[in-house]
């Protein structure tokens, strides 16, 4: 079973446990598609800022590791960059990529390895993932939505990896329906100690209709839905809600114990623009204004 998320110490101004290390930095990916220097500059600025307690790991494709290392050599960070390695070179490229990261331990601290699963999530493939990724590194596997999707999610959990759910993308079919997200959460919650990660189009806290005309899921909806999933509440109602004030009140009312349980289930999500989720949390009164 995958390990629970580590609720690391909050940032300089203090961050509630529900939001500690919640937002992983995917500035290199759409919609930002930032150049490496700009992405790293923004990440280190956020990591040294007042909201640093909300910030998680930096996401980088395996194919861009040389570029990442070159820029870090120029920056000379005081501490190694917490890294999630996104495998875009196929499962066979994992050992080499991990070896490169581990050879530059003064620059990089490998925390997570993420990869898409094949259409058929078979046990042999999952065993190879377990063999290739060190035990102290979190394994994140994204089963493809479609026929047998939830069976794939269950297999990922049983093999000690975190399943990942893609909540959007660049076309309407990339956005799962509320029922699909609710079913995913039910599978995770039913597996003792299971943890998931989310990605894509979760830039805002609350469900809304974006400029593309598509209803986007909100990360606060996911947090509240996870809490309800653990307590037997209305999960679909939480996912479908567009009432930011009500969602914020419910999140604010969670005990520290309940918040820790939620984050043990919902580890983190990837976002390309760190200031947007932080701004929403401030506006909703869930983070201090300074």
């Amino acid at each position: 079973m995958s390990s629970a998320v580590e609720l690391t110490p909050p940032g300089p101004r203090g961050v509630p446990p529900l939001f500690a290390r919640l937002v992983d930095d995917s500035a290199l990916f759409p919609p930002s598609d930032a150049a490496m220097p700009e992405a790293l500059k923004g990440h280190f600025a956020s990591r040294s800022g007042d909201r640093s307690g909300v910030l998680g790991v930096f996401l980088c494709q395996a194919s861009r590791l040389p570029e990442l290392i070159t820029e870090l050599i120029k920056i000379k960070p005081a501490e190694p960059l917490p890294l999630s390695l996104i495998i875009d070179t196929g499962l066979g490229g994992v050992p080499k990529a991990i070896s490169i990261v581990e050879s530059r331990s003064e620059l990089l601290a490998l925390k997570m390895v993420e990869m898409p699963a094949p259409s058929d999530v078979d046990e042999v493939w999952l065993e190879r993932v377990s063999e290739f990724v060190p035990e102290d590194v979190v394994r994140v596997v994204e089963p493809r939505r479609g026929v047998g999707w939830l069976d794939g999610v269950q297999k990922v959990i049983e093999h000690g990896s975190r399943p990942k759910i893609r909540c959007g993308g660049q076309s309407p079919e990339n956005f799962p329906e509320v029922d699909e997200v609710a079913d995913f959460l039910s599978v995770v919650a039913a597996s003792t100690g299971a943890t998931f990660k989310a990605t894509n189009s979760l830039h805002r806290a609350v469900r809304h209709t974006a400029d593309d005309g598509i209803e986007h899921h909100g990360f606060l909806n996911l947090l509240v839905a996870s809490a309800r999933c653990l307590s037997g509440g209305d999960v679909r109602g939480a996912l479908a809600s567009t009432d930011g004030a009500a969602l914020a009140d419910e999140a604010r009312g969670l005990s520290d114990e309940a918040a820790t349980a939620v984050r043990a289930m919902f580890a983190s999500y990837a976002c390309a623009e760190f200031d947007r989720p932080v701004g929403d949390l401030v506006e909703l009164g869930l983070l201090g204004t300074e």
Side-chain angles (χ1 to χ4, degrees):
M1 209 64 70
S2 58
S3 58
V5 64
E6 294 181 5
L7 293 182
T8 49
R13 299 282 181 170
V15 171
L18 191 62
F19 309 116
R21 307 300 179 205
L22 175 66
V23 184
D24 291 337
D25 186 346
S26 61
L28 293 177
F29 297 80
S32 289
D33 286 321
M36 188 68 72
E38 285 70 32
L40 287 171
K41 179 180 178 181
H43 182 84
F44 283 115
S46 298
R47 190 160 291 282
S48 61
D50 291 343
R51 310 300 183 183
S52 62
V54 181
L55 184 63
V57 296
F58 182 81
L59 276 58
C60 181
Q61 304 93 326
S63 62
R64 299 184 69 177
L65 272 176
E67 185 185 358
L68 173 63
I69 291 170
T70 297
E71 291 302 322
L72 287 174
I73 290 172
K74 297 176 185 176
I75 294 171
K76 298 178 181 178
E79 296 179 352
L81 175 71
L83 175 69
S84 180
L85 189 60
I86 310 299
I87 303 302
D88 61 346
T89 53
L91 184 59
V94 172
K96 180 180 179 181
I98 291 177
S99 177
I100 291 172
V101 173
E102 292 180 339
S103 72
R104 304 311 300 254
S105 58
E106 78 283 7
L107 298 174
L108 296 166
L110 185 61
K111 302 295 185 181
M112 193 179 299
V113 174
E114 306 181 44
M115 65 193 78
S119 54
D120 178 19
V121 188
D122 67 90
E123 297 193 5
V124 173
W125 186 88
L126 287 167
E127 286 295 338
R128 291 186 69 197
V129 172
S130 300
E131 291 170 6
F132 289 163
V133 181
E135 288 187 4
D136 61 345
V137 174
V138 174
R139 303 184 300 274
V140 179
V141 175
E142 181 188 347
R144 298 180 187 177
R145 279 190 301 117
V147 177
W149 174 56
L150 295 177
D151 290 337
V153 172
Q154 186 64 51
K155 287 180 183 178
V156 169
I157 293 170
E158 290 172 353
H159 278 77
S161 296
R162 288 180 185 170
K164 179 162 67 173
I165 181 168
R166 186 169 296 271
C167 292
Q170 297 181 320
S171 58
E173 58 266 24
N174 294 136
F175 290 78
E177 299 293 334
V178 163
D179 284 349
E180 291 178 292
V181 180
D183 289 343
F184 173 89
L185 294 179
S186 295
V187 171
V188 176
S191 301
T192 304
T195 304
F196 77 92
K197 179 172 183 175
T199 190
N200 275 57
S201 303
L202 289 168
H203 311 297
R204 306 304 301 268
V206 179
R207 184 176 180 86
H208 64 285
T209 301
D211 293 340
D212 56 14
I214 300 171
E215 282 219 24
H216 287 226
H217 295 280
F219 69 84
L220 185 59
N221 296 78
L222 266 181
L223 286 167
V224 172
S226 297
R228 291 188 186 183
C229 202
L230 293 171
S231 63
D234 179 8
V235 175
R236 286 168 173 77
L239 292 169
S241 175
T242 56
D243 188 339
L247 290 168
D249 284 344
E250 189 167 344
R252 195 180 295 110
L254 294 174
S255 66
D256 285 350
E257 182 180 4
T260 299
V262 169
R263 292 300 310 286
M265 176 179 168
F266 177 14
S268 64
Y269 80 95
C271 182
E273 301 172 10
F274 182 67
D275 288 345
R276 293 184 73 183
V278 166
D280 278 4
L281 290 175
V282 170
E283 186 175 335
L284 289 165
L286 293 170
L287 286 180
T289 56
E290 58 179 30

